[in-house]
Amino acid sequence: MKRKVLALTLASVLSVSCLAGCSTKDAGKENPSSAGSTSGGGEALSFSYALPNRYKVWLEDLNYWKDMQELSGVSVELVDSGESDDAYYQSMDLQVGSGDMPDAAIVRQSQASVYGAQGAFLDLKPLIEEKAPNVQKYIDEHPEYAELITSADGKIYGLGVENPLYTNLTFYRSDHFEKAGITQIPTTLEEFTEALRTLRDANASVQGYYPWVGRDGYLHYAECFLCNDSISEDGTVNGVYNGGNGYDIYADGFRDMVEWYHTLYEEKLIDPEWVMGTGTEEEWQTKFLTGQGSVSDDFFTRPTWFTSNGGPDNDPDFHIEVMDLFQTTDGDIAHRYFDYVNLDRYFVVSASCENTDAVMAFLDWLYSEEGQEVMHYGIDGVNTKKLEDGTHEWIADFAVESIKPVGEPNIGLYQDRLTFPYPVDNEAYYESLDSKVQSYCFDYFETYASYSKQLIYTEEQLEQRSNLLAKYETEFYAGVLAFVKGDQELNDENWEAFLEDMEAAGYSKINQIDQDAYDAMNA
Amino acid sequence: MLKKEIKTCGMLWAILLPGLLVLIFFKIAPLFGLVIAFEKYSTFQGIFGSEWVGLENFRTILSDPYTWQVVKNTVLLAFWTLVVSFPIPVIFALLLNEVRFGRLKRVVQSVSFFPYFISVAVAVSILSSFVSPSDGIINRLLNGLGFDSIHFMAESGWFRPLYVFLHVWQNFGYSAIVYISAMTGIDPGLYEAASIDGANRWKKVLHITLPELVPIAVTMFIVNLGSILSVDINKVLLMQNPSTYDTSDVLQTYVYRMAFGSTGFPNYSLGTALSLLQSVIAFALVMATNWLSGKLTETNVF
């Protein structure tokens, strides 16, 4: 009998426990969307806001995050909704579906437009008109911004986060150049190739040395070969459009570029592991720090990063300089492009949000004079010192603050890592960076960087493009790599076959979708 | 009738209940979600609110010529994985069974088991280090023997052997447990009788151990066949690079890019449609093998 009772009890406990996971909501856990208090009655304004974990941590480390809330009069509860970007966006899909979404969140532009049209997010247009005069003023004064946030039905489902203008740039070990006897810094692709040859010969005894090292995609300088994607003055979209950072395989320079990379590969002037896609970011960093590479074309603050992260410790002569962007093959100044609005960061408000007053008050503060002053220069006396002529002198040293470990408070700068929309000020952004970066970034970006024209797609176009890109991109990179490695001889016959393969993989179809999107935006 | 059943088997039903509930709520009920393969699913609109598109997702998959390229890659990868990884645990178990020193046997078995607990990311990283063209031990050996370095991870021809090798290395110890357990159940009298008849160890393995292992081996084969189209997407993604696309791009990676492409909107329906197709093919394979096995070896899983 005892055994029977014991067995039945055990079975009941197991049955109940195995169903425990079926509960959709933790009874003891408050729904984030109801966490904030509404306005009125003298209560403090507050709202909950979903963002990826690392942005939340960064924001909480920033010294003036608390000030931002105090000055705006709005308390923001940051809700960790996923570790990495991809996991975060997938988690937002689920939260949108489950109705558990916090008051506001950062989502992709595609999520904002599709779920917005389905009713998941509020149309911010009437709310902005009514409750956010500073935001309204900004939108009115910036039609290019309005274009990117207004959906086909005229509604605004999300406010995009603006990017400061920056691009990659080419930096090099000036001590290596000096030792190799290179006195003239290359300004053309031919001179660059020669410099790489000289470096290779000078470092022949260094195990695993390749003059040009890097990470991620290796097909750089398409803008110098005049074969990057573009939109002609007559409105023709060339190539698979990626805001000026993609490729136009029918441009004359594209085949030349592939040929050039083949030369670099054959002559061991470029890191083959990088070209083949087997090298990691850590390996690239190690190679550059330990003298197994002399040149890189990467994020513009990397020279400071390498200098602060062990460069001079490994080699007392370690010194990095930045070189100008090479001329185009026509001898003109080349241009690099960057997105004006980050399409991965659109600020949306849940349709079930009960704290819209708080959300709009905070947004409006971000666009106010006081809000912009804080966003651009931090707190007077802590981050910067406001001078009598109205300019700012930075107290915070970017080189020190930017490498502080996560979890350690810093007096750095509100930059792209953080996810609230606010008017960008490029000059203020550059001024906040360390003196080394400042020494080149103003001129470099003024001469070589531009915002790209961005295309907004319909749901249908997005779906078709996504499906086509899934196939096209692998075929493209594998096809080009075959030429670069020499697996395929680069002759007319093989080149024609390559172009045919790209067509079969959907090149023209993608281009047509891009053209349609452009035409629709300019109708 | 019910009363009698409860009286006689009530305890057994009570014990069965938790498992049954898990099966119903977490295995059978979610199958209803497969309906999104026939919809243009939106998480916000839900299963009942999303637009019904019938077989459109299946048409998209089947009419795409690239699908067949990735199906070929998937089947080849799965085929070689099955063909190579299936007999190795059997052979390993047979060899281990012949080891007379109990402690050594246990140590070897434990060591062979360890890789199973290493995460795929770490396993791929170890493999990359071993075959690195600059300082990997394999290439150093090759260089020492006078051969040029081979960039194993960047040669499409090496993708399948490396994938299969990694799979075997990680799983053979774990898979061998089933066979080792089966061997402990073999009647020792059979071996004694064989010894009296003058059979040597090889003959005993051939005529006693192996035939006794056939039922469990067939069962394991049928179970493995069910997952023939399910290659390890994490492993493939970690090992994949543009140099190996022509052999490493499989159904799962292709659908992952289509369904969760960074530039697009998540297409859950397409992913589900493909998974459903995969499951139907795997189910047909399992049923056919089960039937064939019944005919040839009189061993069925069900």
Side-chain angles (χ1 to χ4, degrees), chain A residues 217-219 229 239-243 245-247 249 254 457 464-481 498 501-507 510 514, chain B residues 66 240-243 245-246 249 253-254 256-258 260-264:
Chain A
Y218 67 96
L219 287 175
D229 59 315
V240 169
Y241 195 69
N242 185 27
N245 294 296
Y247 307 97
I249 61 172
F254 186 72
Y457 301 94
Q464 285 174 20
R465 201 173 187 272
S466 239
N467 292 350
L468 288 165
L469 278 176
K471 177 170 42 185
Y472 173 75
E473 285 193 331
T474 49
E475 294 275 290
F476 172 78
Y477 286 110
V480 170
L481 188 60
F498 165 76
D501 286 346
M502 293 306 103
E503 285 301 332
Y507 178 85
I510 301 170
D514 295 338
Chain B
Y66 194 68
Q240 191 177 54
N241 59 65
S243 315
Y245 279 150
D246 57 335
D249 208 14
T253 50
Y254 182 44
Y256 181 81
R257 289 199 304 276
M258 282 207 280
F260 301 109
S262 58
T263 52

Side-chain angles (χ1 to χ4, degrees), chain A residues 26-61:
Chain A
D26 185 344
K29 193 180 152 192
E30 203 180 355
N31 181 352
S33 65
S34 62
S37 56
T38 51
S39 66
E43 275 184 80
L45 291 169
S46 70
F47 70 95
S48 54
Y49 179 54
L51 70 173
N53 170 270
R54 60 195 174 113
Y55 303 137
K56 175 176 180 278
V57 175
W58 279 336
L59 198 51
E60 286 169 344
D61 285 347

Side-chain angles (χ1 to χ4, degrees), chain B residues 3-15:
Chain B
K3 249 184 186 175
K4 195 182 166 195
E5 178 73 12
I6 291 172
K7 202 171 180 185
T8 52
C9 304
M11 178 75 77
L12 296 175
W13 277 109
I15 293 168

Side-chain angles (χ1 to χ4, degrees), chain B residues 71-82:
Chain B
V71 164
K72 186 186 123 196
N73 285 343
T74 314
V75 171
L76 279 173
L77 197 59
F79 172 78
W80 286 115
T81 306
L82 188 66

Side-chain angles (χ1 to χ4, degrees), chain B residues 7 41 87 96 109 131 159 203 229 275-276 278 294:
Chain B
K7 202 171 180 185
Y41 179 69
L96 201 64
Q109 197 183 340
V131 300
F159 177 79
K203 292 276 185 193
L229 291 177
S275 296
L276 187 58
Q278 261 180 264

